[in-house]
Amino acid sequence: MTPLQRYIAEEIATDHLDGLLTRREALRRLGLLGIGAAAAGALIAACGETKQAAPASPPAPTGGAAPETAPPPGVQSALPTSEVRWAGPGGELRGAWAAAPEPKGAVLVIHENKGLTDHIRSVAGRFAGIGYSALAIDLLSARGGTSAFADQAAATAALSRIEPPEFIADLRSGIDEVQRRVPGRKVAAVGFCMGGGLVWRLLAAGTPALAAAVPFYGPAPDDPDFGGSRDAAVLAFYGALDQRVNASEPVARAALEKAGMVHELITEPGANHAFFNDTGDRYDAAAAADAWRRIQDWFATHLT
């Protein structure tokens, strides 16, 4: 099992343990990853033991918290996206493009392990709404695109079978496309979940074109070297309840310090994995609003 497959498998197991998936559905999704029933049961049990051993999270702050009924951050000013295609290293790539009228900078948005969803398209539109043209890439382009799959579980399984070099090549092509569309402006990469992990991998692969990088609750690779991306200012987000991903935070921090990079790593109190996804069960309005405010401040400093 590759690191990405294991990460996705553990996420499915954790979703079941948190009551977001029935055991039957979790076993079905693990089966799509090629994990048999016995191995799947053992994985779920192991994740359960890890959760029980995890330390308690500090309570969420009460002052200034966004009400749960407030619109998701950035939605009210979001601009529409349109489908775009361009020639990638292994064939045609697809994405959702949102153009800011007078862009201050540009953003490559990297989706979760569900593929290019309407939520991720909305995120691209939100960045355009605050002045940063954005391209949300579809990393399943070579497999017909996310929409070609019967459901998100099938899309997730397909993503788990893609090797990191293909991801990195496609993401670098996405950065090139962003630079072509917004010439002369600085570029950032923002990723969520699996996409957050891919932001870390872009930094480890050496991506000098990035002026800023924002990984949301993404696992860092083992022993990364960010020296080839030292000009990128990194703002990383974690949820305090997300023990599985948080275990890699010290690795990322040490690598950033070793490379001498500008960085800030934020752990949102009381928030869980995927707290920014307002279409998911773990959405946390206060944490999402705080992250959105911090991103705007970060981009104003490092991307404009």
Side-chain angles (χ1 to χ4, degrees):
M1 188 183 300
T2 68
L4 176 58
Q5 287 171 331
R6 182 159 191 85
Y7 168 77
I8 291 174
E10 290 176 347
E11 183 165 284
I12 293 169
T14 303
D15 284 351
H16 165 61
L17 292 166
D18 287 349
L20 304 183
L21 295 175
T22 65
R23 185 176 182 86
R24 180 177 181 178
E25 178 61 17
L27 292 174
R28 182 185 79 86
R29 295 189 182 195
L30 290 169
L32 291 173
L33 299 182
I35 301 173
L43 175 67
I44 291 171
C47 288
E49 292 173 0
T50 301
K51 282 177 65 65
Q52 290 176 358
S57 170
T62 55
E68 293 292 336
T69 55
V75 163
Q76 290 179 307
S77 62
L79 297 179
T81 64
S82 58
E83 182 181 356
V84 294
R85 304 187 183 203
W86 69 98
E92 185 179 72
L93 291 173
R94 309 178 186 188
W97 172 251
E102 296 181 8
K104 298 177 286 187
V107 182
L108 178 71
V109 181
I110 311 173
H111 57 67
E112 302 166 319
N113 61 30
K114 300 175 179 65
L116 181 55
T117 61
D118 287 342
H119 165 68
I120 295 298
R121 292 186 182 90
S122 167
V123 171
R126 297 182 212 184
F127 280 121
I130 60 171
Y132 301 94
S133 295
L135 173 63
I137 189 171
D138 189 343
L139 292 171
L140 286 168
S141 294
R143 280 87 181 156
T146 300
S147 61
F149 292 86
D151 59 19
Q152 289 184 345
T156 297
L159 283 164
S160 76
R161 291 188 283 271
I162 299 175
E163 295 294 332
E166 181 178 340
F167 280 136
I168 296 302
D170 287 349
L171 292 171
R172 284 175 168 166
S173 178
I175 292 171
D176 290 343
E177 180 67 11
V178 167
Q179 291 178 313
R180 186 186 70 80
R181 289 174 175 270
V182 192
R185 299 297 183 186
K186 295 179 180 178
V187 178
V190 179
F192 302 86
C193 180
M194 181 196 81
L198 289 175
V199 172
W200 290 122
R201 287 188 176 274
L202 266 176
L203 295 174
T207 310
L210 290 179
V214 185
F216 274 79
Y217 30 80
D222 294 336
D223 194 24
D225 180 355
F226 298 148
S229 306
R230 58 172 47 92
D231 291 336
V234 178
L235 175 66
F237 290 99
Y238 299 87
L241 302 180
D242 188 10
Q243 298 298 329
R244 184 171 60 95
V245 172
N246 293 354
S248 70
E249 189 265 9
V251 174
R253 184 183 298 274
L256 290 166
E257 291 174 351
K258 183 178 180 180
M261 298 168 70
V262 174
H263 65 278
E264 186 172 359
L265 277 58
I266 306 296
T267 299
E268 294 288 353
N272 209 329
H273 188 71
F275 68 76
F276 195 82
N277 187 341
D278 52 274
T279 67
D281 293 312
R282 293 194 179 105
Y283 174 62
D284 186 300
D290 181 65
W292 188 244
R293 176 186 61 79
R294 290 177 184 271
I295 288 175
Q296 292 180 78
D297 291 345
W298 198 257
F299 281 2
T301 301
H302 301 289
L303 201 60
T304 58

